[in-house]
Amino acid sequence: MKTPYKNIYTVLKTNRFIVIAVLAFSFLSSGIAIWSVFSINNKALNNTFAVNTDGSVIPLKWVAQKENLKVEALAHLDLFHTYFYNIDASNYEKNLEKALWLGNSSVDNLYRQKKADGVYNRLLQYSLVQKVLSIESQLDLQSNSYTFQSTTIFEINRGTVVDRYELISTGNLIVVDRNFPKNTHGLLITNYFEKSLKKLTNEN
């Protein structure tokens, strides 16, 4: 007795269903795998680990990483502008040396330019006292360049005359290795530029 052959169209439909099912399952498996990798990567970026004294691994949460970065960046900018502009004949060398650790060659170039222009010689010659009164900085931490703009109010005491100035400076911040005590925040100022300087009157 001969075995009856199945209808060719029925066979093709069955094969097509199997192929579609296999493809759908493959896409679904790939999607789940990609999502799992993405989820694990996010968790890894938001966590770090420390080894306890007994050898166990302790997960540590990076709490509000951007907020911590903002606090560090503002403190870094405040420290730099204080060192760089709060100077007198007795401390300018020490303060400028500390300031140069907080920025790259753009800060060093500005320092050399001021030195060539005789800024620090006049400080010594006339016993000037340059005192920072306030520092306000705006940050953009959304981009990779971490741009900032700082407004520094300082006064120059010439003995009988005291003049006040407003300096607006701009630049970028990059993350570097911390260096205690020379660069405790682990940030470096780049592309530093004194955008404007104006003398303030009593009306200001």
Side-chain angles (χ1 to χ4, degrees):
M1 183 177 179
K2 293 183 178 181
T3 303
Y5 291 101
K6 294 183 179 180
N7 187 295
I8 187 67
Y9 294 107
T10 304
V11 173
L12 290 176
K13 286 181 180 179
T14 303
N15 289 342
R16 185 173 65 176
F17 173 78
I18 293 173
V19 169
I20 291 174
V22 170
L23 287 175
F25 180 77
S26 299
F27 280 119
L28 181 62
S29 300
S30 299
I32 293 174
I34 292 172
W35 178 83
S36 299
V37 170
F38 181 76
S39 178
I40 292 171
N41 181 61
N42 275 348
K43 289 179 180 179
L45 288 176
N46 289 325
N47 290 274
T48 188
F49 300 90
V51 179
N52 201 355
T53 53
D54 59 1
S56 61
V57 178
I58 308 171
L60 302 174
K61 194 75 173 177
W62 286 3
V63 181
Q65 184 178 6
K66 285 292 183 182
E67 292 183 6
N68 290 344
L69 176 60
K70 182 178 180 180
V71 171
E72 298 254 23
L74 289 173
H76 187 84
L77 292 172
D78 190 83
L79 196 61
F80 167 75
H81 286 86
T82 299
Y83 282 146
F84 203 72
Y85 298 103
N86 198 89
I87 54 177
D88 57 41
S90 65
N91 70 8
Y92 82 96
E93 289 183 331
K94 179 178 64 177
N95 280 8
L96 291 174
E97 181 183 356
K98 291 178 180 179
L100 291 176
W101 276 97
L102 306 179
N104 73 344
S105 59
S106 62
V107 174
D108 185 62
N109 290 339
L110 178 60
Y111 159 71
R112 293 178 184 275
Q113 179 185 335
K114 288 178 178 289
K115 188 175 182 180
D117 292 340
V119 172
Y120 306 118
N121 284 337
R122 288 193 294 273
L123 193 77
L124 293 171
Q125 184 178 356
Y126 299 107
S127 298
L128 304 179
V129 177
Q130 185 169 293
K131 181 180 180 182
V132 171
L133 302 177
S134 66
I135 303 165
E136 293 184 5
S137 298
Q138 288 80 43
L139 297 166
D140 180 8
L141 301 179
Q142 301 305 316
S143 62
N144 292 329
S145 58
Y146 296 159
T147 59
F148 71 85
Q149 177 172 296
S150 298
T151 301
T152 305
I153 306 295
F154 64 90
E155 65 180 20
I156 299 179
N157 189 324
R158 296 181 171 86
T160 57
V161 179
V162 178
D163 294 320
R164 296 176 66 197
Y165 296 87
E166 179 189 78
L167 170 70
I168 297 178
S169 54
T170 60
N172 304 95
L173 289 169
I174 60 173
V175 178
V176 296
D177 291 336
R178 295 178 189 268
N179 184 336
F180 182 83
K182 295 176 179 178
N183 189 336
T184 55
H185 298 106
L187 295 167
L188 195 71
I189 295 171
T190 64
N191 303 317
Y192 187 68
F193 179 65
E194 292 184 343
K195 185 177 180 180
S196 67
L197 175 67
K198 71 175 182 179
K199 184 177 180 180
L200 299 177
T201 64
N202 293 331
E203 295 178 358
N204 299 116

